[in-house]
């Protein structure tokens, strides 16, 4: 059952009008059992003053491209009702003609483009209208006996509209049905959703929830938990086991679904998913079709269901089935496109958006982590609908051709053209060691600013979490994650890359940046100090690069490694033999990996910075005092000392190094590997030769 979220005290503080409409819309969208992500629409009709001071009846309706849960006043479109009402007398109107007409009805050209379902609201003679996609209602509307069941639940209070794609015709059918039935309280749209109304915003919302719960109560009374999805065929594996399996297979999946463009992945093992993938009938049921037209754009017509018997010891067998399954799915999708395409259609990526694995869960794909999660969120709704429909009768969906026409609907394709162009690092995952420090955090910000998702790996978990939170606040949910990692621990490094795979599907860029520095005269350099430098700067860089190399090789879509070396990689620093030797090893290790990685499209390059004092844990430790002592100056004189020894007379900052890293990680250097780039202001002693 769906709870009411209407807060009378909060609603009473709102201004009557659009502010109240925003509130109603947000609480409708908050519960995804009521309305899909990005779907549904709400409206209100009111009187406003026009630019000449005249009273004009205006309908405010959700504009195209927003989501009810998060939309604000600026996401609604205001249209003059005196321009809309005459359309009801027309026999028909094409989508293109309707959209063009509605543009002339808008009271403000800064408002968003009118939705394709605008006339659904405009033709109904009610002040407040909700159109939603509740699980319980769509279960009814996607059952083969749905109309008969609706009579049992609602008597003569409903209008049933057969499936028609949204637009003028559907809007007119709904209004005509309501006008012909004085007892009507709701409209049920076959394979689509629900329409309700009210005299006030509060009444409208209350009616929406009440109608949903009437249907939900009827369905729940008829559900047999032992027979859901035909009963249990496979039990879910233990949580740690299934997550471990997902982490192991997701790089394989990511490589298989990434053709011309890379895809981001997300993993989902919530209870309803596990119940569905383990059901006796689920493999067949999942292939019937989409539960709602709104789903198609994000989930495709059907998911990929992997025929695999859950077994923690058969991960390699699962990888084979995933590769074969994805290849077969892409071939079938190409055939589906060939059978149904219209002149001028350009095929989307053929890979699945939803992959179901018995005992393990669901893997979703998308151009970003957020869009992968949207595919998953919509498939949760599909699972709920299939569960409800099969409790009532048989689950049915759209025909193949209509599914295609919805997926490639010109109006939906037009929305895609409004999206901003993808940036340099869109669809890429960057793993940055030393992510809490000056260079690491600045690099993360730089890469995320051009579309990347980043993993901030650092022993200082609190510091890296702070950076991740800052990035996510600015750029959106889960664009950055923080992981605690000791680069000298093989287990910790492997666990961090497993977490990366589980979160995003794999890795495209690594920035080997974690470090430390010590300073001692050579004859006073202890074995402990020597080993510390070698372990962190040598072994640490090796372990991170090796695990990244493995993941990149499995993905088979190339990769980039950028090592943050030092001026000391090529210059024998005074009183720094351990540090300088380790830094030299880093630079040569990078060249060795570059030599082996070329055939797999893996590039490896090195940045050689010098004296990055800002935001550095190294320079805020004893290293500052040690280097000052080596040069015979005071610690607070170091910045000026380093500036004056450069030929350009400049200081070097973390953002300068981040810019060099971004260059090596980008397509601008796509034919460069095994290279060293010096960013030190020009220190002649460190000129490479």
């Amino acid at each position: 059952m769906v709870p009411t979220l209407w807060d009378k005290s909060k609603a009473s503080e709102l201004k009557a009008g659009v502010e109240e409409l925003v509130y109603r819309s947000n609480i409708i969208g908050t519960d995804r059992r009521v309305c899909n992500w990005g779907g549904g629409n709400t409206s209100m009709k009111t009187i406003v003053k026009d630019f000449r001071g005249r009273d004009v009846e205006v309908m405010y309706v959700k504009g195209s491209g927003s989501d009810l849960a998060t939309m604000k006043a600026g996401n609604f479109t205001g249209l003059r009702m005196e321009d809309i009402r005459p359309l009801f007398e027309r026999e028909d109107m094409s989508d293109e003609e309707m959209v063009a007409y509605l543009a002339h009805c808008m009271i403000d050209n800064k408002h968003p483009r009118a939705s394709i379902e605008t006339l659904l609201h405009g033709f109904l003679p009610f002040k407040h209208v909700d159109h939603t996609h509740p699980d319980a209602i769509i279960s009814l509307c996607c059952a083969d006996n749905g109309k008969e069941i609706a009579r049992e639940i609602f008597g003569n209070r409903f209008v049933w509209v057969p499936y028609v794609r949204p637009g003028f015709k559907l809007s007119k059918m709904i209004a005509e049905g309501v006008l012909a039935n004085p007892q009507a309280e709701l409209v049920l749209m076959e394979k689509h959703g629900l329409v309700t109304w009210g005299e006030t915003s509060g009444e409208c919302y209350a009616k929406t929830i009440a109608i949903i719960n009437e249907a939900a109560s009827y369905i729940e009374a008829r559900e047999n938990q032992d027979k859901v999805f035909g009963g249990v065929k496979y039990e879910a594996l233990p949580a740690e086991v299934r997550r471990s399996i997902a982490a192991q297979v997701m790089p394989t999946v990511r490589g298989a679904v990434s053709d011309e463009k890379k895809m981001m992945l997300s993993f989902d093992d919530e209870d309803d998913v596990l119940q569905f993938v383990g059901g006796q009938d689920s493999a067949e049921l999942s292939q019937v079709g989409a539960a709602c037209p709104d789903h198609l754009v994000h989930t495709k017509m059907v998911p990929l269901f992997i025929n695999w018997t859950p077994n923690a010891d058969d991960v390699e067998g699962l990888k084979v089935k995933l590769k074969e399954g994805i290849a077969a799915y892409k071939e079938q999708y190409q055939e589906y496109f060939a059978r149904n395409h219209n002149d001028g259609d350009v095929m989307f990526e053929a890979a699945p958006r939803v992959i179901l694995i018995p005992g393990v869960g669901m893997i979703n794909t998308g151009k970003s982590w957020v869009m992968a999660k949207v595919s998953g969120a919509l498939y949760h709704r599909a699972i709920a609908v299939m569960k409800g429909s099969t409790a009532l009768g048989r689950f049915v969906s759209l025909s193949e051709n209509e599914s295609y026409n919805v997926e490639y609907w010109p109006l939906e394709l037009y929305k895609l053209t409004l999206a901003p162009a993808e940036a340099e690092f869109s669809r890429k995952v960057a793993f940055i060691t030393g992510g809490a420090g000056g260079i690491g955090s600045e690099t993360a910000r730089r890469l995320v600013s051009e579309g990347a998702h980043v993993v901030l790996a650092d022993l200082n978990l609190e510091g890296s979490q702070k950076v991740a939170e800052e990035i996510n606040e600015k750029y959106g949910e889960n664009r950055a994650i923080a992981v605690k990692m000791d680069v000298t621990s093989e287990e910790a490094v492997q666990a961090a890359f497993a977490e990366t795979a589980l979160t995003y599907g794999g890795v495209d860029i690594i920035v080997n940046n974690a470090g430390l520095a010590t300073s001692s005269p050579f004859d006073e350099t202890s074995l402990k100090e020597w080993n510390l430098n070698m372990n962190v700067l040598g072994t640490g860089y090796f372990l991170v690069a090796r695990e990244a190399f493995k993941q990149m090789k499995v993905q088979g879509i190339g990769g980039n490694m950028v090592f943050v070396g030092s001026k000391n990689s090529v210059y024998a620093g005074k009183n720094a033999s351990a540090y300088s030797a380790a830094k030299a090893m880093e630079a040569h290790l990078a060249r060795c990996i570059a030599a082996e990685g070329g055939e797999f499209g893996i590039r490896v390059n090195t940045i050689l910075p010098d004296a990055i004092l800002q935001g550095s844990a190294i320079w805020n430790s004893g290293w500052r005092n040690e280097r000052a002592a080596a040069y015979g100056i005071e610690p607070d004189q170091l910045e000026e000392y380093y500036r004056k020894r450069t030929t350009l007379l400049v200081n070097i900052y973390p953002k300068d190094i981040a810019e060099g890293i971004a260059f090596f990680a980008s397509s601008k250097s796509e034919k460069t590997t095994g290279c060293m780039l010096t960013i030190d202001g020009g220190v002649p002693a460190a000129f490479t030769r």
Side-chain angles (χ1 to χ4, degrees):
M1 303 291 283
V2 173
T4 180
L5 300 179
W6 188 274
D7 185 328
K8 289 183 179 178
S9 61
K10 185 171 183 178
S12 66
E13 297 172 358
L14 301 171
K15 292 180 183 177
V18 177
E19 194 172 306
E20 200 173 54
L21 177 59
V22 170
Y23 175 67
R24 180 172 106 232
S25 303
N26 290 166
I27 60 175
I28 285 173
T30 294
D31 192 333
R32 294 306 184 189
R33 293 172 299 174
V34 175
C35 201
N36 292 328
W37 181 92
N41 22 77
T42 53
S43 69
M44 63 167 285
K45 300 179 184 77
T46 188
I47 303 296
V48 302
K49 297 284 186 186
D50 73 359
F51 70 101
R52 291 173 58 187
R54 300 172 300 181
D55 286 340
V56 179
E57 187 182 9
V58 170
M59 177 177 70
Y60 286 94
V61 63
K62 174 195 167 190
S64 181
S66 52
D67 179 55
L68 286 175
T70 56
M71 66 190 302
K72 307 300 180 189
N75 298 120
F76 286 93
T77 302
L79 303 107
R80 291 180 296 274
M81 284 301 299
E82 66 177 357
D83 295 329
I84 288 177
R85 285 200 175 97
L87 291 180
F88 190 63
E89 302 305 318
R90 293 201 183 190
E91 286 297 316
D92 203 358
M93 198 175 195
S94 70
D95 291 345
E96 293 75 16
E97 185 184 4
M98 180 181 67
V99 169
Y101 183 96
L102 291 175
H104 294 292
C105 303
M106 292 167 58
I107 61 170
D108 189 335
N109 61 14
K110 295 185 179 67
H111 285 178
R113 181 170 172 262
S115 162
I116 190 67
E117 291 177 313
T118 295
L119 294 183
L120 180 159
H121 298 261
F123 288 166
L124 288 173
F126 309 111
K127 286 188 177 179
H128 298 268
V129 177
D130 290 341
H131 164 43
T132 54
H133 307 112
D135 293 347
I137 296 296
I138 300 182
S139 295
L140 184 66
C141 294
C142 283
D144 62 336
N145 55 350
K147 190 173 182 179
E148 291 72 29
I149 297 293
R151 288 196 189 96
E152 292 184 33
I153 301 172
F154 302 114
N156 65 352
R157 295 181 293 136
F158 77 99
V159 172
W160 181 275
V161 180
Y163 174 78
V164 176
R165 205 178 314 152
F168 180 90
K169 185 176 180 181
L170 176 61
S171 299
K172 187 167 180 177
M173 287 170 66
I174 288 171
E176 288 175 338
V178 171
L179 293 172
N181 181 0
Q183 285 77 43
E185 295 179 14
L186 66 142
V187 175
L188 297 173
M189 303 155 73
E190 185 178 320
K191 302 182 180 73
H192 189 159
L194 171 70
V195 181
T196 48
W197 49 85
E199 184 65 20
T200 67
S201 199
E203 287 177 14
C204 187
Y205 175 78
K207 177 60 70 174
T208 296
I209 300 304
I211 294 297
I212 293 169
N213 283 334
E214 281 189 73
S217 178
Y218 184 95
I219 293 169
E220 286 175 15
R222 284 152 183 80
E223 284 180 348
N224 181 341
Q225 292 302 319
D226 293 333
K227 294 296 182 182
V228 171
F229 305 128
V232 177
K233 182 177 182 180
Y234 297 118
E235 296 287 352
L237 294 168
E240 292 146 17
V241 174
R242 58 182 183 258
R243 290 176 70 80
S244 172
I245 290 173
Q248 292 176 69
V249 303
M250 284 174 76
T252 298
V253 172
R254 187 163 185 247
V257 300
S258 298
D259 293 320
E260 292 182 11
K261 293 185 177 180
K262 294 178 180 178
M263 301 294 281
M264 303 292 292
L265 273 53
S266 65
F267 174 66
D268 192 322
D269 62 347
E270 292 185 31
D271 290 345
D272 59 331
V273 171
L274 293 171
Q275 183 183 42
F276 184 68
V277 297
Q280 288 278 357
D281 298 340
S282 297
E284 181 179 352
L285 190 58
S286 69
Q287 303 304 299
V288 171
C292 177
D294 279 48
H295 296 187
L296 274 162
V297 177
H298 299 287
T299 67
K300 295 191 181 290
M301 182 178 167
V302 294
L304 170 60
F305 196 102
I306 301 298
N307 181 20
W308 180 70
T309 302
N311 181 353
D313 296 323
D314 187 32
V315 177
E316 292 306 312
L318 176 56
K319 288 180 182 178
V320 171
K321 285 185 175 290
L322 283 162
K323 282 199 244 183
E324 292 175 347
I326 291 168
Y329 186 101
K330 289 194 285 191
E331 185 176 337
Q332 289 161 11
Y333 187 86
Q334 289 162 356
E335 293 169 354
Y336 155 82
F337 179 85
R339 285 193 299 271
N340 296 284
H341 80 281
N342 304 302
D343 288 345
D345 287 353
V346 178
M347 191 175 73
F348 299 146
E349 79 283 345
R353 298 277 179 83
V354 180
I355 301 171
L356 305 170
I357 307 172
V360 176
M362 173 170 66
I363 295 172
N364 298 105
T365 73
K367 68 178 183 179
S368 65
W369 179 87
V370 165
M371 296 315 296
K373 290 295 284 186
V374 166
S375 297
L378 290 171
Y379 207 75
H380 275 282
R381 308 279 52 86
I383 290 170
V385 169
M386 288 185 281
K387 182 179 180 181
S389 290
T390 53
L392 299 174
R394 182 170 57 87
F395 172 64
V396 294
S397 182
L398 306 177
S399 68
E400 180 189 281
N401 184 251
E402 179 57 17
S403 295
Y404 176 90
N405 288 333
V406 170
E407 188 178 354
Y408 286 85
W409 195 6
L411 291 181
E412 285 294 338
L413 299 181
Y414 176 74
K415 286 183 189 178
L416 297 179
T417 68
L418 302 179
E422 293 192 37
E424 174 67 50
F425 300 114
S426 293
R427 302 174 180 257
K428 292 183 180 177
V429 182
F431 185 101
I432 303 169
T433 68
I439 293 175
S441 61
E442 197 62 37
T443 298
R445 295 183 189 99
R446 175 67 179 80
L447 298 181
V448 171
S449 74
E450 288 200 60
H453 295 66
V454 297
V455 179
L456 300 159
D458 204 301
L459 266 176
N460 177 8
L461 180 60
E462 185 178 348
S464 56
Q465 285 174 332
K466 184 177 179 181
V467 177
E469 287 166 8
E470 172 201 319
I471 287 172
N472 292 333
E473 178 69 25
K474 183 174 182 178
Y475 292 100
E477 185 184 4
N478 224 42
R479 287 292 295 280
I481 63 168
V483 295
K484 185 170 185 175
M485 188 185 77
D486 177 354
V487 296
T488 68
S489 165
E490 185 173 33
E491 293 76 17
V493 173
Q494 289 172 338
F497 275 95
E499 185 67 21
T500 301
L502 191 63
T503 304
Y504 298 126
V507 69
D508 303 290
I509 300 162
I510 67 150
V511 181
N512 239 335
N513 168 66
L516 54 73
T518 64
S519 178
S520 300
F522 178 65
D523 58 346
E524 295 176 18
T525 301
S526 67
L527 181 59
K528 180 180 179 182
E529 180 181 343
W530 176 266
N531 286 338
L532 177 63
N533 280 272
M534 292 299 163
N535 285 341
V536 174
L537 304 177
T539 301
Y541 274 50
F542 156 73
L543 288 173
V544 170
R546 188 191 67 183
E547 293 309 309
F549 195 96
K550 288 179 184 177
Q551 213 166 88
M552 290 172 178
K553 193 173 171 182
V554 168
Q555 290 176 149
I557 50 178
N560 253 300
M561 300 188 192
V562 184
F563 282 30
V564 179
S566 165
K567 165 184 65 65
N568 289 40
S569 295
V570 295
Y571 170 71
K574 183 180 179 183
N575 290 356
S577 56
Y579 174 77
S580 298
K583 281 294 178 182
M585 180 167 65
E586 286 175 6
H588 197 57
L589 174 62
R591 291 193 291 259
C592 291
I593 302 169
E596 286 195 45
E599 65 179 293
F600 306 110
I602 300 171
R603 299 192 293 111
V604 192
N605 294 288
T606 304
I607 302 288
L608 304 182
D610 184 39
I612 314 298
L613 279 66
Q614 292 73 23
S616 169
I618 294 173
W619 285 97
N620 292 328
S621 66
W623 175 253
R624 174 184 281 268
N625 294 334
E626 290 164 358
R627 296 319 292 158
Y631 300 127
I633 59 175
E634 293 300 315
D636 62 1
Q637 296 175 315
L638 271 176
E639 281 86 352
E640 185 63 9
Y641 173 84
Y642 284 131
R643 185 184 74 82
K644 285 185 175 179
R645 81 174 183 185
T646 68
T647 60
L648 297 176
L649 298 176
V650 293
N651 285 119
I652 311 301
Y653 300 103
K655 67 178 181 180
D656 300 317
I657 308 309
E659 199 61 43
I661 291 168
F663 168 73
F664 270 149
S666 76
S667 59
K668 296 180 181 69
S669 64
E670 64 183 9
K671 295 184 179 179
T672 299
T673 191
C675 180
M676 293 189 294
L677 175 64
T678 302
I679 305 177
D680 63 3
V683 179
F687 286 175
T688 55
R689 53 190 179 271

